[in-house]
Amino acid sequence: MSSRLACNEVINHAAYPIDETDNPARQQVIEQVKRELAADGCAVLRSFFSEAGLQALLAEATQRKSETYYSPRKLCNVYLNDGKPEFPEDHPLNVFIPRTNGFITADLFGEETTAHRLYYWDPLKQFLAECLGKDELFIYEDPVSNMIVNVGKPGQQFNWHFDTNEFTITMLLQGASSGGIFEYVPGLRSAEDECYDEVKGVLDGDRSRVKPLQLNAGDLQFFLGRFSLHQVTENTGDNDRLLLIMSFSEKPGMVGSKARVQNLYGKVTEAHAENTVRADKLVD
Ligand SMILES: [Fe+2]
């Protein structure tokens, strides 16, 4: 039986001393992330985890794989909502495309798990806030979806969509042997403008602004998914793709909309009963 790893042992501390605020190496990493995020809303820290940390996180996800939730709804629009019948049939709100991946939800990771402890580790949150140039960052308070594992079995995909929360970090725990590629369109919409024509262009097959990103197990990816349309292509390999996703917000008290959380994760809590807090007026 392995002993429990401290959070600074879960990460590749020699390269990423994120809990040492006076370490110049930490500042260099922050500057690198800031540059990459400013360029296109995405940044990658290669081999962010220690080998032991990656194995611990992978084991936790693997142990819970049988509890993965697959939505019975296999067609979704990019807003992961019900669409709007008053808009034309070919409007992006009413274009429904296949989404077949599943999720291991946050409530299945108890407080003792490495994933849970890492998500609530203050030095991580502080580091992320500085990378984003913000005074403070908040835990996404959705008890079902704030820290989840995206499961992509062979043949499954997570088609084009926008995220609810402004900011997500993802950590690939196990890549697909083929396919399962993350692709994104940087800054396709803004908080002020849905840019429906541009969204429709991508749905119609325009790949001129699409950027694929090769991720390896143990990499940490920063992503501004509220404004950049993104997808994971079909897993054409013979193993499961497992991706740990941690979400944060600029505002406290954010949770997913009741309909979206029910559809994606198959359960809601009392937290989903109230009106949802958003930093913008986008359709989700
Ligand atoms: Fe996403």
Side-chain angles (χ1 to χ4, degrees):
M1 180 153 161
S2 61
S3 59
R4 176 173 132 150
L5 295 169
C7 285
N8 61 4
E9 296 171 321
V10 174
I11 64 172
N12 174 359
H13 198 266
Y16 304 110
I18 63 171
D19 55 340
E20 296 175 0
T21 50
D22 52 358
N23 188 327
R26 177 180 185 273
Q27 197 55 38
Q28 282 172 13
V29 174
I30 290 170
E31 296 306 324
Q32 176 203 333
V33 172
K34 278 186 164 173
R35 274 196 305 275
E36 291 181 24
L37 282 179
D40 72 357
C42 181
V44 180
L45 297 180
R46 299 289 179 187
S47 300
F48 181 77
F49 292 115
S50 66
E51 190 54 38
L54 178 60
Q55 291 314 316
L57 292 166
L58 178 59
E60 287 175 1
T62 304
Q63 283 157 12
R64 290 162 177 78
K65 230 166 40 173
S66 63
E67 296 176 82
T68 303
Y69 178 75
Y70 294 98
S71 173
R73 188 192 294 186
K74 301 298 182 201
L75 293 172
C76 298
N77 66 11
V78 302
Y79 312 101
L80 304 178
N81 62 25
D82 294 333
K84 292 205 167 143
E86 63 269 32
F87 282 76
E89 247 176 49
D90 62 348
H91 189 279
L93 274 161
N94 294 327
V95 174
F96 292 85
I97 51 182
R99 185 191 68 81
T100 49
N101 74 299
F103 292 105
I104 305 171
T105 50
D107 51 301
L108 299 175
F109 291 88
E111 287 180 9
E112 76 293 350
T113 58
T114 304
H116 187 282
R117 289 185 294 116
L118 189 66
Y119 183 52
Y120 287 91
W121 191 40
D122 275 337
L124 176 65
K125 203 164 52 139
Q126 183 57 37
F127 168 72
L128 298 176
E130 289 179 51
C131 287
L132 292 168
K134 301 191 184 303
D135 292 336
E136 197 175 1
L137 207 56
F138 297 90
I139 295 291
Y140 183 47
E141 288 183 32
D142 193 308
V144 172
S145 70
N146 60 5
M147 189 201 65
I148 54 178
V149 173
N150 177 350
V151 179
K153 290 183 178 297
Q156 294 180 342
Q157 68 186 143
F158 194 170
N159 224 316
W160 294 114
H161 68 282
F162 292 109
D163 291 344
T164 299
N165 48 296
E166 299 102 288
F167 173 63
T168 294
I169 55 171
T170 65
M171 292 143 275
L172 190 66
L173 303 179
Q174 181 170 280
S177 56
S178 161
I181 303 292
F182 178 81
E183 296 186 335
Y184 65 112
V185 186
L188 192 66
R189 69 175 181 179
S190 69
E192 295 78 36
D193 189 349
E194 293 281 0
C195 300
Y196 284 129
D197 287 348
E198 286 80 357
V199 174
K200 181 156 172 36
V202 175
L203 293 175
D204 287 345
D206 176 7
R207 293 191 51 89
S208 59
R209 291 172 62 190
V210 175
K211 296 179 86 165
L213 178 67
Q214 183 60 52
L215 292 168
N216 303 310
D219 291 349
L220 181 146
Q221 178 196 11
F222 293 72
F223 189 58
L224 301 174
R226 185 119 180 96
F227 307 122
S228 298
L229 197 65
H230 54 287
Q231 73 167 345
V232 181
T233 64
E234 182 184 337
N235 180 347
T236 52
D238 53 10
N239 61 339
D240 298 342
R241 180 182 189 270
L242 297 172
L243 181 82
L244 178 61
I245 304 175
M246 296 181 178
S247 297
F248 298 87
S249 174
E250 271 185 75
K251 277 188 165 187
M254 291 256 301
V255 296
S257 78
K258 194 171 185 177
R260 176 169 172 147
V261 171
Q262 180 65 48
N263 171 35
L264 282 176
Y265 309 109
K267 60 185 115 176
V268 288
T269 68
E270 288 171 4
H272 298 101
E274 291 140 41
N275 284 337
T276 48
V277 175
R278 290 287 177 274
D280 56 52
K281 293 193 165 56
L282 295 170
V283 294
D284 261 16

